[in-house]
Amino acid sequence: MDLVNRREAIGIAAGFGAAVGLPAAAFAATGQKLEYPALLDATDARQFQLKAQSGTSRLRGNTASETIGYNQAYLGPTIRLRTGTDTRVEVQNTLNEPVSAHWHGLIVAGEFDGGPHQAIAPGATWTPVLDLDQPPATAWYHSHIHGATARQVMQGLAGVLHVTDGEDDARGLPSTYGVDDLTLVLQDRTFNRRGRLTYDVGMLQVMNGFLGNAMLVNGQSEATATVPRGLVRCRLVNGSNARIYRLSLSDAQPLHLVATDGGFLDRPIALGRVMLAPGERVEVLIDFTDGRDRVLMSDNIANSAMGSMMGGDSGGQFAVLPFAVDTTLPVRIDTLPDTVDGQLPDLSSADVAVRRLSLDMSMGMGMMTSRSGSQFSISGAPYDQETLNFSATLNSTEHWIVRGDMMMHPFHIHGVRFQVLSENGQKPRAENRGWKDTVLVAGEVELAMTFDKPAPSSAPYMYHCHILEHEDGGMMGQFSVV
Ligand code: C2O
Ligand code: CU
Ligand code: CU
């Protein structure tokens, strides 16, 4: 295989270690084949069941770790949903702590959103209805219990959603699950010396967000994705607690961006590098018609409240996922489509309400020694489940100007798709030109959104930093749409 040679592999491992400040884990492709989460196709049945459960998983090597998942021991099935219809859901909680199932990227009414107000008690079942009228997209689901989200997601309570209209063949897009349409959940995790999954976060990791010492894709480490000798669609989900990836291919071939969080672009954009912050998704096409193996790499991105202020490159790269071409696999699509028929947002009209938010963190000595004061807040207010921060008007459009403090923060809003109007006064970078629900704030962004679904004050929508330790620490707010 024409993957990564030994010297490069050592460099990659060293880079990974350097960025996270933990001993480097040796990178070696084991020759194990990457597997994909089970596909739960609800497009005909228009119903599905999830069960939050505990189990043990061999995520790395042979050591078993205690994990939690939906319908399985770690992560959950990929759920395919049809837009334009209702899907009835049952989420059962068999754990001995409350969990939820938040549909990150689905535009559903507040009562069905699965945030902290829809906590499912141990032994209880929650039955939301997902009434979708949004365009096709890759979304995801995860638990969202205030103060426990970071640990529960780290332990496995997350899965992927495909919203489909059944028209991908007409678009010329690969759509065979696990063959040329690959669902890839990127997560970094920490394993202790005995090989067990651990989440032992101190002050500094809470401050900067948790970074792991090993890379997992779909809950597997060091596996290789086998692909046909054609065009391959990768639905990349950043399910990490805090790690920001800047993805590229080892042989400098482009990643053809076709969709962002909220759905398709109008046409593919060829990019050398694609940034993916926690909570964000992209769909990229990779051309394997030359039959060559290549590796999906990531730059090490520094994002710390102490050292380099606005983040950036800490140098070096690490391997996210090696791809190996298997010529026995069927090639369905071998040419890049000219268009993918998405509608780019245009909500720039000036005559709308403007709201300003700041993502705040404090780092005074008191915060270092006491756990009582809240270190994270939005516009000075740490999250309080009993306090509604504001109310928006159903069907209205607003512009939000969001500033980030001390480091980069991936900012997410529930219940809407938004347009990034500007980043630090400039035109947004390519990854932010389509519909979004999460955007990396490195300075200031201006967003525009229309509130299409209601969220009463008893079931408000959240907005928060998607560095999960920041969210749990209070960098979150809630609003109603009435
Ligand atoms: Cu992905 Cu409020 O979350
Ligand atoms: Cu969400
Ligand atoms: Cu943050």
Side-chain angles (χ1 to χ4, degrees):
M1 283 196 300
D2 161 29
L3 293 178
V4 187
N5 69 37
R6 208 181 136 69
R7 165 170 274 151
E8 276 168 10
I10 291 166
I12 289 160
F16 197 76
V20 302
L22 288 167
F27 172 83
T30 55
Q32 224 166 303
K33 261 172 80 164
L34 183 78
E35 288 170 26
Y36 301 92
L39 179 65
L40 203 171
D41 191 336
T43 53
D44 289 333
R46 298 199 293 149
Q47 56 152 52
F48 66 89
Q49 278 93 35
L50 289 180
K51 190 197 276 186
Q53 60 188 60
S54 62
T56 55
S57 307
R58 288 182 164 71
L59 300 172
R60 186 162 194 258
N62 238 335
T63 312
S65 296
E66 311 274 306
T67 54
I68 48 182
Y70 296 101
N71 298 2
Q72 58 193 52
Y74 184 81
L75 298 178
T78 297
I79 303 163
R80 190 181 276 166
L81 297 169
R82 186 174 293 278
T83 188
T85 64
D86 292 358
T87 304
R88 309 200 154 265
V89 187
E90 260 179 49
V91 188
Q92 193 193 337
N93 180 10
T94 70
L95 303 178
N96 53 20
E97 59 174 324
V99 301
S100 80
H102 165 56
W103 320 108
H104 179 141
L106 299 189
I107 316 300
V108 294
E111 62 183 304
F112 301 136
D113 186 54
H117 294 265
Q118 289 86 45
I120 311 165
T125 297
W126 178 55
T127 55
V129 178
L130 304 178
D131 172 8
L132 300 184
D133 45 27
Q134 65 193 92
T138 299
W140 64 305
Y141 59 101
H142 60 78
S143 192
H144 210 309
I145 299 299
H146 186 55
T149 301
R151 179 185 46 80
Q152 290 185 338
V153 171
M154 191 284 312
Q155 277 190 282
L157 278 181
V160 179
L161 302 165
H162 293 185
V163 177
T164 180
D165 61 1
E167 297 299 327
D168 282 351
D169 283 347
R171 288 185 184 96
L173 286 176
S175 62
T176 308
Y177 188 78
V179 179
D180 62 8
D181 180 356
L182 309 184
T183 294
L184 304 170
V185 181
L186 310 188
Q187 298 176 311
D188 59 331
R189 293 291 183 256
T190 289
F191 295 90
N192 67 15
R193 239 181 268 151
R194 295 213 303 278
R196 282 212 182 90
L197 184 67
T198 54
Y199 182 68
D200 188 10
V201 289
M203 199 63 219
L204 201 62
Q205 284 124 310
V206 169
M207 187 80 80
N208 294 330
F210 163 84
L211 297 177
N213 64 5
M215 185 68 218
L216 298 185
V217 178
N218 299 343
Q220 296 147 72
S221 58
E222 299 166 357
T224 297
T226 51
V227 294
R229 185 175 181 155
L231 205 63
V232 173
R233 175 185 191 175
C234 294
R235 303 180 190 241
L236 296 156
V237 178
N238 187 344
S240 309
N241 285 30
R243 184 176 290 277
I244 300 164
Y245 302 86
R246 187 162 58 214
L247 302 164
S248 60
L249 291 170
S250 51
D251 59 357
Q253 290 299 302
L255 296 162
H256 300 276
L257 183 71
V258 291
T260 54
D261 304 333
F264 292 124
L265 301 174
D266 50 354
R267 64 186 117 83
I269 308 178
L271 295 172
R273 291 192 143 77
V274 171
M275 192 99 142
L276 194 67
E280 289 185 309
R281 291 86 62 208
V282 287
E283 294 185 29
V284 297
L285 302 177
I286 303 177
D287 186 350
F288 286 99
T289 53
D290 61 6
R292 288 177 50 191
D293 298 343
R294 38 183 68 89
V295 183
L296 183 66
M297 306 292 295
S298 173
D299 297 337
N300 279 312
I301 305 288
N303 189 28
S304 137
M306 317 235 181
S308 53
M309 281 295 283
M310 269 336 193
D313 227 318
S314 74
Q317 289 194 309
F318 59 92
V320 173
L321 179 67
F323 293 101
V325 175
D326 177 350
T327 52
T328 67
L329 291 174
V331 175
R332 286 186 60 252
I333 306 222
D334 59 7
T335 50
L336 195 70
D338 295 330
T339 81
V340 279
D341 81 9
Q343 295 256 328
L344 290 187
D346 185 12
L347 298 170
S348 55
S349 127
D351 189 24
V352 297
V354 176
R355 211 176 280 285
R356 287 176 187 275
L357 297 171
S358 65
L359 310 175
D360 303 326
M361 52 194 292
S362 59
M363 222 179 47
M365 270 330 279
M367 297 305 169
M368 304 294 281
T369 50
S370 114
R371 292 208 157 249
S372 54
S374 182
Q375 165 187 348
F376 302 101
S377 57
I378 295 187
S379 302
Y383 180 69
D384 173 6
Q385 199 156 327
E386 307 309 318
T387 304
L388 191 67
N389 297 93
F390 57 86
S391 178
T393 305
L394 188 61
N395 300 318
S396 74
T397 297
E398 291 190 1
H399 288 184
W400 290 15
I401 298 172
V402 184
R403 276 202 69 80
D405 202 14
M406 314 255 281
M407 52 190 280
M408 298 188 280
H409 303 276
F411 180 69
H412 170 50
I413 312 174
H414 290 208
V416 294
R417 303 195 298 162
F418 56 71
Q419 175 183 13
V420 182
L421 296 174
S422 68
E423 293 181 86
N424 297 317
Q426 309 288 307
K427 192 171 160 232
R429 61 190 157 86
E431 300 98 311
N432 288 338
R433 283 184 208 146
W435 288 104
K436 299 284 295 167
D437 57 50
T438 307
V439 64
L440 189 62
V441 180
E444 186 176 278
V445 296
E446 187 173 7
L447 312 175
M449 72 220 72
T450 303
F451 305 100
D452 293 330
K453 297 274 165 106
S457 57
S458 57
Y461 289 134
M462 305 294 124
Y463 53 95
H464 58 89
C465 176
H466 221 288
I467 291 178
L468 299 181
E469 289 73 23
H470 291 186
E471 172 189 339
D472 278 342
M475 197 180 280
M476 179 156 80
Q478 52 189 6
F479 66 103
S480 61
V481 177
V482 288

